[in-house]
Amino acid sequence: MELKPNNPFLISGYYSPDYFCDREVETRKIIDALYNGRNLTLFAPRRIGKTGLIHHVFYNLRNEQPDIATFYMDIFSTRNLGDFVRLFANTVLGRLDTTVQKAKKRIEQFVKSFAFTVDSDPLTGMPKASINISANAGTEAMKATISEIFDYLKASGVRCYIAIDEFQQITEYPEEGIEALLRSYIQFSPNVNFIFAGSKQHILQEMFLSSKKPFYQSTQQMMIGAIECDKYVEFAVSKFCRPNIELPEELFRKIYERFDGHTWYIQNVMNRLYEYRRTADDALVEYAVTEIIGESSFGYESILSAYSAGCIRLLKAIAAEGCVKEILAGDFINKYDLKAASSVEGFVKKLTDKELIYKIDQGYIVYDRFMGEWLRRQQF
């Protein structure tokens, strides 16, 4: 029996297609690429819904091909090769076996570089392995472990699909040659296909479109943007509807425009509106947004404490404008008393590097839409 969420507007996790809005074209394109042996690079700003899309693709793939295996790993928090190897091993080892005993026997055939343990997953009962990598483990041993994991995958005889989210993070590792190392194993693993997803488009494009890089032209490229408003309206209104409670279509369109179609922020607001158990109106939307940003205000204040007054003033100015096309223009700088253009240029680089602001086609915006709402309510 399928578990149903108490609130249909999910802000994390994936349940089933019933709680996933649209993305039919993108889903089909990704499935077709993987099914036909093409690895894929998925570009998308953070919180636009790429993780949900990946899980939706995997859900559909498992329905179409019950004998496959799907794996998802988010490497955003990894800082070095050791972190990556540990996560990679813990994600796949044991998952291709039916019992703990079989998993131990098979993993022992391949993994020689580090000790490991195998237990039953408390949720699924399936085998789950953990590899033990010490803090002072050598780089060569970790590289050897990657080779061993790929050997384990190839020997399984199972068609495997692996998604690595925030893949650009490997460019930050202190160890050299990681891209070339992974490419060398991926290209000789015929039963394993990959989705490389990430939010830093310029870094991913450099990785996959530069002739100087190991992954050059090795994947199909795909960019995802906002869900079409009409599709989202239909989904939201149908999920919101309960006896004597409704969501006016025009109200949802206002929410959609306010957050530029950004899925995670819209879902957060809708999640609150559904919780209130009332017909939604403008006042209730404002209450929901105020509640959300109020809960995050301490975190926002903590973030800003690490930045200079000039950086904070620029951030507030961008939030006040919503989107700034000519960020070094004299009119903008004078309007918000931002000092010299050279100083602003330095602030822009720092805020962009830290992902507090983000450049879209129309100009610069505050990356976190709720933080932007909070900043607009602060005094200069």
Side-chain angles (χ1 to χ4, degrees):
M1 182 177 178
E2 183 181 293
L3 180 67
K4 294 184 178 180
N6 294 325
N7 191 313
F9 297 100
L10 308 178
I11 55 177
S12 64
Y14 178 84
Y15 276 78
S16 74
D18 288 339
Y19 304 97
F20 186 83
C21 179
D22 193 34
R23 302 285 192 202
E24 294 178 5
V25 173
E26 297 95 328
T27 299
R28 192 69 255 164
K29 283 184 177 180
I30 296 172
I31 289 175
D32 288 346
L34 295 175
Y35 182 82
N36 289 285
R38 300 192 299 273
N39 294 327
L40 185 133
T41 304
L42 190 63
F43 305 101
R46 291 178 66 189
R47 296 178 171 175
I48 200 71
K50 71 178 184 304
T51 302
L53 174 59
I54 291 169
H55 287 296
H56 184 63
V57 165
F58 282 174
Y59 182 99
N60 283 277
L61 272 169
R62 289 191 296 269
N63 279 344
E64 294 179 13
Q65 307 171 57
D67 56 344
I68 65 165
T70 59
F71 305 97
Y72 172 84
M73 50 190 286
D74 184 344
I75 66 170
F76 181 72
S77 63
T78 62
R79 295 292 175 263
N80 51 50
L81 182 59
D83 289 346
F84 178 89
V85 172
R86 188 180 296 107
L87 180 58
F88 189 27
N90 295 350
T91 298
V92 304
L93 292 180
R95 302 285 184 168
L96 298 174
D97 304 289
T98 55
T99 67
V100 170
Q101 290 74 23
K102 287 182 179 179
K104 285 182 178 178
K105 186 176 181 180
R106 278 220 326 124
I107 297 171
E108 283 174 353
Q109 293 177 356
F110 299 100
V111 179
K112 310 291 185 182
S113 301
F114 295 102
F116 64 90
T117 58
V118 183
D119 297 301
S120 294
D121 188 304
L123 295 178
T124 65
M126 298 298 290
K128 181 180 179 181
S130 297
I131 197 165
N132 305 311
I133 300 177
S134 61
N136 59 352
T139 299
E140 293 307 312
M142 290 185 288
K143 289 181 177 179
T145 303
I146 292 179
S147 175
E148 293 164 355
I149 295 170
F150 273 98
D151 288 341
Y152 168 85
L153 289 168
K154 286 187 288 186
S156 71
V158 175
R159 171 64 60 185
C160 299
Y161 299 112
I162 302 175
I164 306 181
D165 210 349
E166 301 301 341
F167 186 64
Q168 72 278 342
Q169 186 64 26
I170 68 170
T171 64
E172 301 289 330
Y173 295 169
E175 298 87 0
E176 296 182 356
I178 305 306
E179 291 178 60
L181 178 73
L182 291 176
R183 176 77 174 106
S184 67
Y185 294 124
I186 289 170
Q187 66 181 334
F188 295 114
S189 301
N191 65 314
V192 186
N193 285 105
F194 284 81
I195 298 174
F196 303 104
S199 56
K200 292 187 176 181
Q201 182 179 348
H202 64 289
I203 298 178
L204 280 175
Q205 286 180 331
E206 174 70 15
M207 293 174 72
F208 289 93
L209 299 180
S210 170
S211 59
K212 300 177 181 179
K213 296 292 186 176
F215 279 100
Y216 174 59
Q217 292 188 343
S218 63
T219 65
Q220 179 176 323
Q221 312 293 307
M222 185 172 177
M223 167 72 78
I224 65 168
I227 296 169
E228 184 184 336
C229 186
D230 287 344
K231 294 281 189 181
Y232 214 156
V233 167
E234 182 181 349
F235 172 84
V237 170
S238 67
K239 295 301 179 188
F240 196 87
C241 184
R242 286 182 288 183
N244 303 315
I245 299 174
E246 63 179 18
L247 172 72
E249 286 191 14
E250 285 309 309
L251 183 69
F252 181 82
R253 291 182 187 277
K254 288 181 183 178
I255 297 170
Y256 182 96
E257 293 297 328
R258 182 172 183 171
F259 295 102
D260 300 316
H262 237 77
T263 309
W264 189 81
Y265 302 100
I266 295 170
Q267 289 290 109
N268 262 276
V269 174
M270 292 305 305
N271 183 279
R272 299 299 174 109
L273 294 178
Y274 188 86
E275 175 190 344
Y276 300 151
R277 296 179 177 273
R278 292 166 46 190
T279 291
D281 56 21
D282 289 327
L284 199 61
V285 171
E286 289 307 315
Y287 180 83
V289 173
T290 299
E291 186 175 56
I292 292 167
I293 65 176
E295 293 163 0
S296 303
S297 60
F298 178 79
Y300 295 146
E301 290 170 357
S302 179
I303 290 171
L304 295 189
S305 68
Y307 294 87
S308 67
C311 271
I312 295 171
R313 193 168 187 84
L314 175 60
L315 194 60
K316 287 182 176 180
I318 296 171
E321 291 291 314
C323 181
V324 181
K325 186 170 183 61
E326 301 293 340
I327 204 160
L328 299 180
D331 290 347
F332 172 69
I333 290 174
N334 293 332
K335 181 178 179 179
Y336 293 99
D337 192 20
L338 296 174
K339 299 182 180 179
S342 58
S343 298
V344 172
E345 191 171 20
F347 298 151
V348 168
K349 184 179 186 310
K350 184 170 185 178
L351 293 172
T352 301
D353 289 344
K354 297 298 183 180
E355 294 192 324
L356 287 181
I357 62 174
Y358 183 71
K359 193 174 188 303
I360 59 176
D361 291 341
Q362 295 79 13
Y364 286 91
I365 62 171
V366 176
Y367 207 149
D368 184 330
R369 301 302 204 278
F370 288 141
M371 187 180 195
E373 293 272 347
W374 178 76
L375 286 166
R376 281 190 283 277
R377 302 181 188 202
Q378 310 302 306
Q379 293 183 346
F380 262 90

